[in-house]
Amino acid sequence: MRVSTFLCNFAPVKIKEVLSALERFAPLPLQESWDNAGLQLGLTETEVSGALLCLDVNERIVDEAIAKGCNLIVSHHPLLFRGLKTISDLTDVQRTVMRAIQQGIAVISMHTNMDNAQGGVNFRIAQKLGLQDVKFFASKTVGDTEAGSGVVGELPEPMAADDFIIAVKKAFGVECAMCNELLRRPISRVAICGGAGDFLLDQAVDCQADAFITGEMHYHQYFGYEQQIQICVIGHYQSEQYTAEIFEEIIREACPGVKTCIAETCTNPILYI
């Protein structure tokens, strides 16, 4: 567990101030049309007792927030993707909503707006791999803000494909990676899209990347790219696991009086057996 605390006397911080800081970094207009980023539930005028930072929100995450004295949860994946017609104990989402409300816990989710933001999820993945000259590929402008669903960067030194995959697995602590056949040329230029990124595979090829890293891909997407690009799929959860570090840095800079805790609960529903 990593807990950030400050001994100085700071003015109380309200949930709306944390929300504002997160949205300045990753404005809501950057999210995809199907997404539901932003405030999920809770009273924004409430003072923050602590913020638990995580990838997904479920009952175990709410329990961890309670145990650590946090009345705010900041997640990457939204708790509420669609409207709820019933709030009861029938589903995990409904139970999680009920428990959070009963305990006075607010939930904020920064999803595809954080994926698409400068310095967001994909930039953090690139940082973990030590990539240089990182920039958007397939970029777009939203308002006056440059954004993009993926980034591309350069390795400090070219690597053989097998060494590259070993390095990726080590950086993200993955048990296995799903790859196409090993590239028979050195890998220098790497394209990245955390989460479900197969929609960017062709654009990764177009930007002359030697390798493409993402969290999940459909089976048929692996065909036809032999010796064109090295595909390396490491798992959705694994690819985005460091997103909580971004939340922590944003909150510590904008709201230094707020205690932040990176969640210890692993919410990855996929087991490798």
Side-chain angles (χ1 to χ4, degrees):
M1 177 183 70
R2 174 168 38 183
V3 180
S4 168
T5 57
F6 296 84
L7 299 178
C8 302
N9 292 320
F10 291 98
V13 176
K14 295 183 178 181
I15 287 171
K16 67 179 182 181
E17 296 174 71
V18 176
L19 176 62
S20 177
L22 292 164
E23 291 185 0
R24 284 196 301 273
F25 185 94
L28 292 183
L30 297 186
Q31 71 180 309
E32 303 296 334
S33 59
W34 46 264
D35 201 6
N36 186 40
L39 180 69
Q40 305 285 289
L41 57 92
L43 302 176
T44 60
E45 291 292 336
T46 304
E47 292 179 7
V48 183
S49 62
L52 183 69
L53 316 174
C54 58
L55 196 66
D56 310 287
V57 187
N58 58 22
E59 291 179 274
R60 291 184 298 128
I61 286 289
V62 174
D63 287 341
E64 184 176 344
I66 295 167
K68 292 178 176 172
C70 298
N71 65 350
L72 173 62
I73 294 171
V74 181
S75 71
H76 182 45
H77 296 140
L79 172 60
L80 301 173
F81 265 116
R82 304 169 186 86
L84 295 178
K85 294 185 178 180
T86 303
I87 300 178
S88 67
D89 61 352
L90 293 177
T91 69
D92 178 64
V93 171
Q94 291 180 26
R95 290 191 297 271
T96 301
V97 169
M98 284 188 64
R99 185 146 177 75
I101 291 174
Q102 288 169 345
Q103 297 295 325
I105 296 173
V107 178
I108 295 169
S109 301
M110 297 281 109
H111 191 212
T112 53
N113 55 322
M114 187 62 70
D115 290 330
N116 292 334
Q118 180 76 38
V121 176
N122 295 309
F123 285 88
R124 183 54 51 117
I125 296 171
Q127 181 189 88
K128 295 296 181 180
L129 294 172
L131 298 188
Q132 302 172 347
D133 302 321
V134 180
K135 59 186 178 182
F136 292 117
F137 72 94
S139 63
K140 56 188 176 183
T141 301
V142 180
D144 296 325
T145 304
E146 183 184 10
S149 299
V151 301
V152 63
E154 306 289 334
L155 289 168
E157 298 288 341
M159 300 179 70
D162 54 348
D163 291 334
F164 171 75
I165 292 166
I166 290 170
V168 172
K169 289 172 61 178
K170 182 178 179 180
F172 290 86
V174 300
E175 302 169 42
C176 63
M178 292 180 287
C179 309
N180 59 347
E181 71 175 27
L182 294 181
L183 202 65
R184 293 191 292 272
R185 69 171 190 270
I187 292 173
S188 296
R189 189 171 173 83
V190 180
I192 294 168
C193 181
D198 56 6
F199 68 101
L200 283 180
L201 180 56
D202 286 331
Q203 293 180 65
V205 173
D206 290 342
C207 77
Q208 300 182 321
D210 301 306
F212 178 61
I213 299 173
T214 190
E216 60 178 284
M217 262 180 47
H218 290 87
Y219 172 78
H220 293 284
Q221 285 290 97
Y222 289 84
F223 288 100
Y225 294 91
E226 297 80 5
Q227 299 310 311
Q228 191 173 24
I229 192 168
Q230 181 68 66
I231 297 170
C232 184
V233 179
I234 61 175
H236 196 124
Y237 180 95
Q238 291 88 341
S239 70
E240 298 180 328
Q241 64 184 292
Y242 299 117
T243 304
E245 294 180 358
I246 306 173
F247 298 151
E248 183 175 57
E249 290 167 9
I250 294 168
I251 295 170
R252 289 180 66 178
E253 181 176 349
C255 308
V258 173
K259 176 182 73 174
T260 58
C261 308
I262 291 182
E264 297 177 272
T265 302
C266 176
T267 56
N268 188 4
I270 301 172
L271 298 179
Y272 297 85
I273 299 175

